Amino acid sequence: MVQSSVLGFPRIGGNRELKKVTEAYWSGKVSEDELLRVGKEIREHNWRLQQDAGVDIIPSNDFSYYDQVLDLSLLFNVIPDQYAQHDLSEIDTLFAMGRGLQRGESEGVAAVDVTALEMVKWFDSNYHYVRPTFSNSTEFRLNGQKPVDEYLEAKELGIETRPVLLGPVSFLHLGKAERESADLDLISLLPNLLQVYVELLQKLAEAGVESVQLDEPVLVLDLPENVQDAYKTAYEAFSNEEGLPKIILTTYFGTVTPNLRAIENLPVDGFHFDFVRNPEQFEEVVDLLNENQTLSVGIVDGRNIWKNDFAKSSEFVRKAIDQLGEDRVIVSTSSSLLHTPVDLENERKLDDEVKDWFSFAAQKLNEVVIIAKNVSGEDVSEELESNAASIAARAASSITHDPSVQERIGQLNQATSTRSSPFEDRLAKQQESLNLPLLPTTTIGSFPQTKDIRVNRNKFNKGEISAEEYENFINSEIEKVIRFQEEVGLDVLVHGEPERNDMVQYFAEKINGYVFTTNAWVQSYGSRYVRPPIIVGDLSRPEAMSVKETVYAQSITTKPVKGILTGPVTCLRWSFPRNDIDQKIQALQLALAIRDEVTDLEAAGIKVIQVDEPALREGLPLRDGQERADYFNWAAEAFRVATSGVSDQTQIHSHFCYSDFDPNHVRALDADVVSIEFSKKDDPNYIAQFQSYPNHIGLGLFDIHSPRVPPKEEFIEKIGTILGSYPPEKFWINPDCGLKTRGWDETSASLHNMVEAAKHFREHY
Ligand code: GLN
Ligand code: ZN
C-alpha cells in the first residue's frame, strides 16, 4: 500500500484568523492567552482536515506565529544580544526579532527599541523568512521544545504526526553572520549545532515520534564544497546516535542533481524530491537510494493552484513503484502547501467553469490521497473520471485560448522588440521635446494613499458613490498631487496613482485572461498576506487602462507628466501563472497588452512613460547557468516588446527595487532612463558597477519605508559622492520607490529637500 503525505499546511486559517489575532495582540487588544488559543485552534483544525481527508503522514511543527525559520532560531538560542536583554516572554522575543519592538518606559519597566532581523525571500517564492543571525558568541542550547509540544498536542487529539524541522545544513547556510563576526564561517558552527539537534531529536523520540521530516532545500542551490561536505558530517552524526526517529531528508523547489555527491550514501531513512518542478531528476535520484530507503514523490504542486492531473501523476508514481516496490514509495505534495491559498470552498464568487480547474491546499489533501489509492490498486474510478473531465474541459475551454493573442505572439520578431534608433539618437530628440535641466528630478509614481482615498475606493466598490462621483474624487486627488509637484519644483511629474489598489491587481482587472479570488490569501511574511490574481487564459487588453487619469494630469500642467505602468514580468511574478504554457509566453502576452497601453498613452500626448519591473530580479532561476541566461533573455525581450512600439521622441523609463541589480541585465532592457532603489546600499562598488551603463539612471536617494526626512545637506552629500564617480549629464534625482505608504508631511518635506539639493548642484555646473 502506497502512503500519502503532506509536507506542511498553511497556518493562516481559512479566514485569516492568525493575522487578525496577531495584529490584535500587537496592538494590545487581546492577551497572549487568546493569541495562543487561536493558534491551537488553527492547528487542530488543520490536523483534523488532513486526517479526515485520509492523509497517512500528517506534518506537525509546520505552524508558526511568525516564521518557521525564526522559530528555529529561537528554539536553538540563536538570539542576538539586543533581543535577549529585555526579559521579554518567548513570543515577544519572537516578534521582536521578526518585526522589531519600540516600547516606551512604563511603571519601572525599561524602554525597548530594537530593529527587526533581516528578512529575505524564501528561495524563488513570495514567502520571506527571517534570517538566522549567528555570531562568534552564539551558544546553541534548547529554548523550550515547540516541536515536541506540538507533536504531543496532536497526539492528544488522537492524531499521529511527523514533525517538520529545517535541517542543520540549510539552517546554517540560509543564515548570516552578525557584522562584528563578519569573518565567521557558518559551517564551522555545525558540530555544536548538531548537539542541540540530537538533543531535540532524542526528546521527540521519547515523546513517541517515529519519523521526522528534515527540510534541506538548499540542496537545490549551487553549493560550495564545504557545504556539500557538511551533509555527511551532519547525517552520519544522527545515524550514530541510538534511538532517534527515522529521518526523511526533504528537498524542494528544484533539482538536487548538481549536489548528488553531497547526499550519496547518506544514512537517512528516505528522501523527498520535487518532481513537479523538476521531473528530470527522477532517474538520477532513484539510483541514489539503497534498498532500505523510501522515496517521497512530490507530485502535487505546493506552489500553484491548478488541479492535479491524476492520470499523469499516477503514471509517474508507478515508475517509482516499478523500481522500488509499493512499500518504499510515498505520494506527496511537492513542497509545503504554505504557498497555496487555504480552501477553494471559501471562494463564493468564482465562475463555476473556472473554479473546477483549481485546487487549493484543502483540495490538494484529497489529491495526494486519491493518487496513492489509485497506484495501490484501490478503486477510485469515479474520482479519476471527474478529474479527467476537468482537465479536458480546461484544455478545450474558450477562456483558456484566444486565437488572436496566439497569432500576435506568432508575429513577434526582432523589430517588435527593438526601438527604431539607438539610445544617443533617441536622447537628442527627447531632450529637444522635453527640455529638461541638468539632474532632472522626478518620483517613482505613487503619492500617499490616504485614508480618504481608501474610503472613497471602498464606497465606489460597494456602489455607495457613482462612477462619476468617484472620477471627480480621483481627479481632485490628481490635481492636488500635480499642484504639489509644481510647487516643490519637480521636473517630470506623475499623477500619483490614487486610483490603484495594487500595482498588479489594478491592471490585471483590466486584462482578459485573469480571474480574481475573494479569500485566496497566501502568507508573504509575518502577518502580511497577498492575494495574487490568477492567469487562466491567453492575455489581452480590450481597452485603455491608464490613459484617462494620465491625460487628465497632463491637461492641467505644462510640465511633462510621466505615465506609469506595471511591466510584464512583474505582472507575471505576482500572479499565479498558468501551468499549461511557458512563463515566457505568458510574459510576452502581457508585454503585448502593455505595449497597446504604451502606444495609446503616446497617441494621447504623453511624452514620458515608465514601465515598472520591481520583480524582474526575483524571477531569477535559483541556479547559475543556462536557465538563468534564458530567463534574462526572455524577461528583457518582454520588456522591450512592451516598450518598443513608440517613436524616438517618447522617453521610456523603468524602475527596479527590492534587490541588487546587475547592470548588464538592466542594459538589456534598453530603457532610456532607469531608477533603482539605492539609499540603503552601503557598498561603494554598487555605484561603480553602473559607471559603464550607457543610458540614464536615477539612484534612489531616500528610503521610502521610513518616515524620516533627510535634510538637504544629506542629499547634497549623497549626490556629491555619486557624482564623484558618475557623469552628471546621465544622472536623475529621485527617491527609492513609490510614496504610497508614506504620510504627506514627510513626503512633502523630503521631496522639497531633494529638489533643493538638485538645484544646488545645477548652480555648480
Ligand atoms: N510605480 C509604483 C509606485 O510608485 C512602483 C512600486 C514598486 O516599485 N514597488 O508605487
Ligand atoms: Zn519600487
Side-chain angles (χ1 to χ4, degrees):
M1 180 70 201
V2 173
Q3 289 198 307
S4 57
S5 103
V6 168
L7 299 191
F9 197 81
R11 55 221 176 193
I12 62 180
N15 289 304
R16 292 185 287 161
E17 288 84 351
L18 188 62
K19 177 189 180 73
K20 290 170 194 161
V21 74
T22 315
E23 291 180 354
Y25 175 72
W26 290 340
S27 60
K29 290 191 193 106
V30 304
S31 65
E32 181 173 326
D33 283 350
E34 174 62 6
L35 173 67
L36 301 182
R37 188 191 63 77
V38 173
K40 190 169 175 185
E41 208 170 81
I42 294 174
R43 290 193 292 274
E44 173 170 356
H45 178 84
N46 289 352
W47 286 323
R48 292 214 189 276
L49 207 63
Q50 297 177 76
Q51 187 183 43
D52 293 347
V55 175
D56 297 308
I57 303 170
I58 298 173
S60 59
N61 198 43
D62 54 340
F63 179 85
S64 174
Y65 287 98
Y66 202 86
D67 163 43
Q68 73 277 7
V69 182
L70 179 58
D71 285 344
L72 208 58
S73 295
L74 195 70
L75 180 70
F76 291 157
N77 199 42
V78 185
I79 306 175
D81 288 345
Q82 67 267 36
Y83 307 99
Q85 293 160 356
H86 307 285
D87 241 353
L88 298 172
S89 72
E90 195 177 304
I91 194 108
D92 286 343
T93 309
L94 184 87
F95 291 143
M97 290 165 76
R99 58 194 294 270
L101 179 66
Q102 216 165 16
R103 196 170 68 185
E105 186 188 331
S106 74
E107 290 166 24
V109 183
V112 184
D113 187 359
V114 287
T115 55
L117 286 176
E118 187 189 7
M119 187 173 71
V120 273
K121 272 174 74 64
W122 182 242
F123 298 83
D124 57 358
S125 77
N126 204 2
Y127 181 75
H128 301 74
Y129 74 97
V130 179
R131 230 165 155 194
T133 306
F134 303 96
S135 74
N136 291 321
S137 54
T138 298
E139 266 178 51
F140 298 111
R141 65 178 158 76
L142 278 190
N143 256 333
Q145 49 165 20
K146 175 180 182 285
V148 180
D149 295 341
E150 288 182 15
Y151 170 79
L152 291 173
E153 191 180 303
K155 198 164 189 159
E156 234 166 78
L157 299 167
I159 302 170
E160 185 61 34
T161 58
R162 182 172 74 186
V164 186
L165 289 169
L166 188 61
V169 184
S170 291
F171 181 59
L172 290 176
H173 191 59
L174 292 171
K176 66 165 185 182
E178 267 182 64
R179 200 181 282 249
E180 310 79 73
S181 306
D183 52 358
L184 176 66
D185 171 17
L186 298 180
I187 290 297
S188 73
L189 299 172
L190 188 64
N192 288 340
L193 175 63
L194 289 176
Q195 290 177 15
V196 282
Y197 265 96
V198 168
E199 199 182 328
L200 176 65
L201 290 169
Q202 274 163 349
K203 285 196 168 184
L204 287 167
E206 279 160 28
V209 169
E210 279 166 37
S211 70
V212 293
Q213 169 189 328
L214 289 190
D215 286 1
E216 288 285 5
V218 305
L219 280 165
V220 309
L221 305 176
D222 294 313
L223 293 180
E225 291 283 310
N226 68 332
V227 179
Q228 295 206 30
D229 295 339
Y231 278 95
K232 203 168 154 111
T233 316
Y235 288 83
E236 283 186 353
F238 295 153
S239 81
N240 288 338
E241 294 290 329
E242 291 287 307
L244 298 191
K246 291 185 178 159
I247 290 174
I248 306 295
L249 189 138
T250 303
T251 70
Y252 37 80
F253 300 159
T255 174
V256 299
T257 45
N259 293 316
L260 282 184
R261 178 180 80 71
I263 54 173
E264 211 171 26
N265 299 322
L266 276 196
V268 294
D269 299 275
F271 288 96
H272 170 91
F273 301 103
D274 183 343
F275 296 119
V276 173
R277 180 64 76 85
N278 195 286
E280 296 82 9
Q281 61 184 327
F282 181 80
E283 304 294 341
E284 280 183 87
V285 299
V286 168
D287 275 351
L288 204 78
L289 302 187
N290 71 36
E291 59 200 6
N292 300 315
Q293 289 172 322
T294 55
L295 176 70
S296 167
V297 180
I299 198 74
V300 169
D301 198 348
R303 291 281 297 270
N304 212 333
I305 46 70
W306 300 101
K307 226 174 221 182
N308 192 273
D309 182 337
F310 291 164
K312 248 169 110 181
S313 298
S314 301
E315 194 186 307
F316 194 94
V317 179
R318 283 198 187 100
K319 249 185 0 183
I321 298 175
D322 286 346
Q323 295 197 35
L324 306 170
E326 281 193 6
D327 297 340
R328 287 174 57 203
V329 173
I330 298 165
V331 173
S332 183
T333 57
S334 64
S335 65
S336 166
L337 297 174
L338 176 68
H339 313 286
T340 61
V342 180
D343 193 348
L344 188 58
E345 292 306 311
N346 292 337
E347 295 303 323
R348 306 236 159 67
K349 288 194 182 140
L350 269 182
D351 175 68
D352 283 340
E353 179 182 358
V354 176
K355 192 171 175 180
D356 182 54
W357 305 343
F358 297 158
S359 169
F360 292 179
Q363 287 67 41
K364 288 173 193 279
L365 303 177
N366 299 326
E367 295 188 337
V368 287
V369 172
I370 291 164
I371 298 167
K373 284 187 177 164
N374 186 34
V375 296
S376 308
E378 271 190 56
D379 180 16
V380 283
S381 48
E382 227 173 88
E383 286 88 346
L384 292 187
E385 268 165 45
S386 85
N387 177 261
S390 303
I391 302 288
R394 178 180 162 210
S397 168
S398 62
I399 297 176
T400 312
H401 304 281
D402 183 340
S404 63
V405 174
Q406 290 167 13
E407 195 181 320
R408 279 186 84 186
I409 293 288
Q411 286 162 356
L412 289 176
N413 55 38
Q414 189 67 28
T416 352
S417 58
T418 322
R419 300 281 301 263
S420 14
S421 311
F423 172 70
E424 298 74 46
D425 299 357
R426 303 194 307 254
L427 182 72
K429 294 183 194 167
Q430 290 162 15
Q431 196 41 28
E432 204 173 300
S433 97
L434 294 171
N435 200 16
L436 296 171
L438 186 73
L439 302 172
T441 54
T442 190
T443 61
I444 308 305
S446 58
F447 269 78
Q449 286 255 341
T450 56
K451 190 161 170 224
D452 202 23
I453 294 180
R454 269 174 286 144
V455 167
N456 274 280
R457 185 183 301 141
N458 275 337
K459 278 192 186 162
F460 173 59
N461 288 337
K462 286 192 194 138
E464 288 168 21
I465 57 173
S466 69
E468 199 190 322
E469 283 170 301
Y470 185 59
E471 188 176 328
N472 288 339
F473 169 76
I474 291 295
N475 284 350
S476 68
E477 287 296 315
I478 294 174
E479 186 169 0
K480 199 156 74 187
V481 169
I482 291 288
R483 293 296 165 249
F484 166 77
Q485 295 172 91
E486 286 176 337
E487 271 158 38
V488 86
L490 284 149
D491 300 305
V492 174
L493 313 193
V494 296
H495 78 284
E497 307 181 22
E499 77 289 8
R500 301 187 187 169
N501 44 5
D502 171 89
M503 68 183 289
V504 172
Q505 195 186 335
Y506 181 78
F507 291 103
E509 281 171 359
K510 297 177 189 291
I511 292 176
N512 289 336
Y514 262 111
V515 300
F516 304 89
T517 58
T518 46
N519 208 27
W521 299 96
V522 178
Q523 187 175 24
S524 175
Y525 63 87
S527 74
R528 181 156 161 85
Y529 310 160
V530 293
R531 197 178 43 176
I534 305 174
I535 302 177
V536 293
D538 291 332
L539 300 153
S540 62
R541 181 213 71 149
E543 54 187 50
M545 307 185 280
S546 68
V547 174
K548 194 173 71 185
E549 293 79 9
T550 316
V551 165
Y552 175 72
Q554 185 64 86
S555 74
I556 57 173
T557 181
T558 52
K559 293 214 169 162
V561 171
K562 174 166 73 166
I564 310 276
L565 304 171
T566 304
V569 179
T570 300
C571 286
L572 177 68
R573 289 295 311 171
W574 292 350
S575 306
F576 282 116
R578 287 166 71 173
N579 62 350
D580 57 341
I581 61 171
D582 266 5
Q583 303 219 354
K584 170 184 172 174
I585 300 295
Q586 298 174 68
L588 289 174
Q589 293 183 354
L590 286 161
L592 284 171
I594 295 157
R595 180 186 178 95
D596 293 345
E597 188 70 12
V598 169
T599 322
D600 279 1
L601 282 170
E602 179 184 56
I606 302 303
K607 296 191 171 112
V608 184
I609 301 168
Q610 174 176 305
V611 176
D612 292 329
E613 284 290 23
L616 185 77
R617 166 67 205 254
E618 67 170 63
L620 191 67
L622 294 170
R623 248 186 240 283
D624 210 356
Q626 193 55 41
E627 212 194 329
R628 263 193 198 174
D630 289 346
Y631 167 77
F632 269 116
N633 283 336
W634 67 250
E637 182 186 347
F639 181 88
R640 285 187 275 106
V641 166
T643 53
S644 295
V646 292
S647 70
D648 289 350
Q649 278 83 355
T650 300
Q651 187 165 72
I652 296 292
H653 288 222
S654 188
H655 164 70
F656 310 98
C657 52
Y658 298 131
S659 30
D660 289 359
F661 285 89
D662 177 338
N664 288 320
H665 298 144
V666 178
R667 182 195 290 237
L669 307 187
D670 197 26
D672 299 309
V673 182
V674 295
S675 58
I676 301 186
E677 173 181 327
F678 183 72
S679 74
K680 277 172 294 183
K681 298 269 176 306
D682 38 19
D683 176 3
N685 298 325
Y686 197 67
I687 311 178
Q689 283 182 36
F690 286 93
Q691 269 167 12
S692 61
Y693 183 70
N695 303 4
H696 287 189
I697 201 166
L699 297 175
L701 294 172
F702 69 90
D703 178 12
I704 52 83
H705 297 292
S706 161
R708 185 172 168 272
V709 176
K712 176 179 164 186
E713 294 65 38
E714 200 176 304
F715 281 107
I716 291 179
E717 199 190 310
K718 255 202 174 131
I719 299 170
T721 312
I722 296 170
L723 295 184
S725 62
Y726 201 85
E729 51 290 339
K730 281 186 171 188
F731 195 63
W732 282 63
I733 305 285
N734 51 258
D736 265 351
C737 188
L739 299 157
K740 60 184 160 233
T741 57
R742 291 274 54 84
W744 264 107
D745 287 350
E746 68 258 23
T747 294
S748 152
S750 298
L751 289 175
H752 175 84
N753 294 348
M754 184 186 89
V755 171
E756 290 306 309
K759 286 184 185 154
H760 166 93
F761 281 95
R762 279 178 206 151
E763 282 158 16
H764 286 73
Y765 282 103

